[in-house]
Amino acid sequence: MNILKFFTAGSVDDGKSTLIGRLLYDTDSILADQLEALQTSNRKNDDGTIDLAILTDGLRAEREQGITIDVAYKYFQTEKRKFIIADTPGHIQYTRNMVTGASTASLAIILIDARNGVVEQTIRHSYLVSLLGIKHVVVAVNKMDMMDYSETVFDAIKEKYKALAQNLNLKDVSYIPVSALKGDNIVQKSERMAWFEGESLLHFLEQVDTDLQDKTTQARMPVQWVIRPQTDQLHDYRGYAGRVLSGTFKVNDRITVLPAGTNSTISKIEFFGNELSQAQAGQSVVIHLKDNIDISRGDTIVNSSALPIESKLIEADLCWMDGRALDSSITYLLQHNSKTTKCKISEILYKVDINTLEKHATEEFRLNDIGRVIVKTADALAFDLYGDNKANGSAILIDARTNLTVGALMFRASVE
């Protein structure tokens, strides 16, 4: 069954956790012990109904403060699709948490409080969606029950967000008026908003086509392991194990191994002991080549007809995730798929004020800062631009002193 990964983002008290709780509750996706905990909880809404946000507010601090701090993942399914939800925090001090939760999502739900409309946090969350290259956006105008389910209010917010979406180059944007508290347009169409001609949120999530962003001619497989049993039965066995990042590899395809640039042809593809005629993105396989060539972990097998960029000097967007500020004088480790190399941040081009989208010259990068930098690596990387191929266009920075992940990189251009 097809899986849709999506995340929710919104300002404090916009109702993110309540919306997710409503999706789980109205699709009967709550376990018996969770339902019992809901019914016995002291947390109630103003009208006496169960506070569904309890289902996602997992940390004690979240329950005490009524906010989302960490990323909470929830799972449910319908007859048509399986879902993985990331409930991400809205506070600016937890930007790194939101980036982490959103990085693997195919769709974003941006919540807007119908009482407040498009606010500063809406701009920030939408910018992050654009930065991460998320193709599908649903603008859920929540708390319509507090605005008498007004079509005029909804249309005004929709028009204002359209201008923001155009500025951020968000192309596939859908708008749904909802009330997470009352359940309007969440799972079932609301009779109280008969003027809305679209479907419920769940119906949209079941139908949206997320395969479009997975189709690419750029076949890429970083080598995780070289398999050489060297036993009497498998004396000549030589296979290259890895997970196909993007595209499709087929038997008899002409491939290139980078960084060496050696060419060969695929002779066999194995998947859990079975032979396949082709391997698609997401599959972990073993590829065999017709030629015995020198391949190691960290090398990348690509289709020869669509080669990636190779460079040691890369322009990239950087999201800083560490409490210790970026230090351009020290050497960091850059991990790009299975390859790890030393690197330095040779230049900070600018930092983005993610509340106003203004770009500022700066010499420092601190926790939750986002901007554009030039990265210089010790070894050449074989990468694609993030906008063309997210799977092969991103990397993480590691502080070798602490072994902590301190930054997320999205490659935008080769400087060489």
Side-chain angles (χ1 to χ4, degrees):
M1 187 182 290
N2 182 269
I3 299 176
L4 172 66
K5 298 178 182 177
F6 68 91
F7 80 100
T8 57
S11 305
V12 177
D13 296 328
D14 275 355
K16 301 183 302 298
S17 298
T18 301
L19 181 140
I20 294 174
R22 175 64 65 183
L23 274 173
L24 298 173
Y25 188 78
D26 285 0
T27 55
D28 298 323
S29 302
I30 303 175
L31 299 175
D33 59 336
Q34 292 176 313
L35 186 59
E36 183 180 353
L38 272 177
Q39 294 169 340
T40 58
S41 172
N42 291 325
R43 271 175 57 175
K44 304 290 183 182
N45 296 313
D46 293 339
D47 60 0
T49 57
I50 297 171
D51 184 355
L52 295 174
I54 297 172
L55 291 170
T56 55
D57 290 346
L59 299 178
R60 178 181 297 177
E62 294 177 332
R63 294 194 296 269
E64 290 174 349
Q65 299 178 47
I67 62 173
T68 301
I69 297 173
D70 203 1
V71 181
Y73 292 97
K74 295 295 179 182
Y75 308 85
F76 75 102
Q77 71 179 67
T78 65
E79 292 181 355
K80 297 181 179 179
R81 179 172 267 173
K82 292 182 178 179
F83 300 92
I84 301 175
I85 318 170
D87 182 17
T88 62
H91 285 65
I92 189 169
Q93 62 263 43
Y94 303 123
T95 297
R96 62 176 176 179
N97 303 56
M98 178 179 171
V99 169
T100 301
S103 61
T104 58
S106 302
L107 180 145
I109 297 178
I110 303 291
L111 262 74
I112 296 178
D113 190 324
R115 301 169 300 174
N116 304 323
V118 175
V119 295
E120 195 174 70
Q121 288 93 329
T122 311
I123 298 172
R124 173 160 52 90
H125 298 150
S126 300
Y127 168 71
L128 292 174
V129 167
S130 174
L131 181 78
L132 294 168
I134 297 171
K135 305 296 184 184
H136 305 281
V137 179
V138 178
V139 176
V141 181
N142 193 25
K143 303 191 179 182
M144 289 296 294
D145 57 298
M146 303 183 75
M147 300 301 291
D148 296 324
Y149 300 100
S150 170
E151 181 179 6
T152 304
V153 170
F154 173 72
D155 287 342
I157 294 173
K158 180 177 177 180
E159 287 305 311
K160 188 166 185 180
Y161 192 88
K162 279 184 177 179
L164 175 61
Q166 184 175 4
N167 185 33
L168 293 173
N169 200 29
L170 299 175
K171 293 184 172 62
D172 185 5
V173 183
S174 301
Y175 302 84
I176 303 177
V178 302
S179 169
L181 182 66
K182 305 294 185 181
D184 294 290
N185 280 345
I186 301 296
V187 172
Q188 302 294 336
K189 275 273 290 180
S190 172
E191 296 179 357
R192 289 177 283 207
M193 287 181 280
W195 47 263
F196 177 64
E197 297 179 353
E199 298 293 337
S200 69
L201 176 61
L202 179 63
H203 183 270
F204 180 89
L205 295 175
E206 287 179 328
Q207 301 298 326
V208 65
D209 182 10
T210 58
D211 292 334
L212 294 175
Q213 62 186 36
D214 297 327
K215 295 174 182 175
T216 174
T217 58
Q218 300 168 336
R220 311 282 185 253
M221 193 192 84
V223 176
Q224 296 281 352
W225 196 254
V226 179
I227 303 176
R228 289 294 312 279
Q230 296 182 310
T231 62
D232 292 338
Q233 294 82 3
L234 299 170
H235 179 72
D236 295 322
Y237 188 99
R238 186 193 296 262
Y240 307 101
R243 182 176 181 269
V244 180
L245 288 181
S246 60
T248 302
F249 289 102
K250 299 179 181 178
V251 174
N252 295 323
D253 273 359
R254 191 70 176 165
I255 61 92
T256 300
V257 180
L258 298 174
T262 312
N263 296 314
S264 186
T265 302
I266 296 177
S267 60
K268 184 168 64 173
I269 300 174
E270 290 183 308
F271 179 73
F272 286 102
N274 298 315
E275 289 194 26
L276 302 178
S277 59
Q278 65 179 32
Q280 299 176 334
Q283 288 184 305
S284 295
V285 297
V286 178
I287 288 179
H288 296 255
L289 304 178
K290 290 184 178 179
D291 304 290
N292 291 330
I293 55 181
D294 184 16
I295 301 178
S296 305
R297 172 180 167 84
D299 292 346
T300 305
I301 297 175
V302 305
N303 51 337
S304 300
S305 59
L307 297 176
I309 302 166
E310 290 186 86
S311 179
K312 292 183 179 180
L313 208 57
I314 305 167
E315 184 175 319
D317 286 324
L318 170 64
C319 176
W320 194 252
M321 298 179 166
D322 193 31
R324 181 184 295 181
L326 168 67
D327 186 347
S328 57
S329 68
I330 71 169
T331 299
Y332 292 97
L333 298 177
L334 184 150
Q335 184 169 327
H336 176 237
N337 299 318
S338 60
K339 183 178 184 65
T340 303
T341 183
K342 295 179 180 179
C343 75
K344 278 194 170 185
I345 305 300
S346 62
E347 185 179 356
I348 299 175
L349 299 178
Y350 59 79
K351 184 165 62 176
V352 176
D353 183 333
I354 58 176
N355 291 322
T356 65
L357 305 186
E358 295 178 351
K359 299 174 182 177
H360 303 284
T362 184
E363 294 183 357
E364 65 175 16
F365 243 72
R366 297 190 177 277
L367 178 64
N368 294 320
D369 281 346
I370 294 176
R372 186 70 61 91
V373 299
I374 302 294
V375 183
K376 186 174 183 180
T377 60
D379 303 311
L381 297 183
F383 65 93
D384 297 296
L385 301 185
Y386 187 81
D388 298 331
N389 188 351
K390 292 170 64 173
N392 196 45
S394 56
I396 60 172
L397 284 180
I398 300 170
D399 190 330
R401 299 168 297 181
T402 61
N403 207 34
L404 292 175
T405 299
V406 295
L409 291 166
M410 288 144 279
F411 301 142
R412 301 301 182 185
S414 170
V415 183
E416 294 178 326

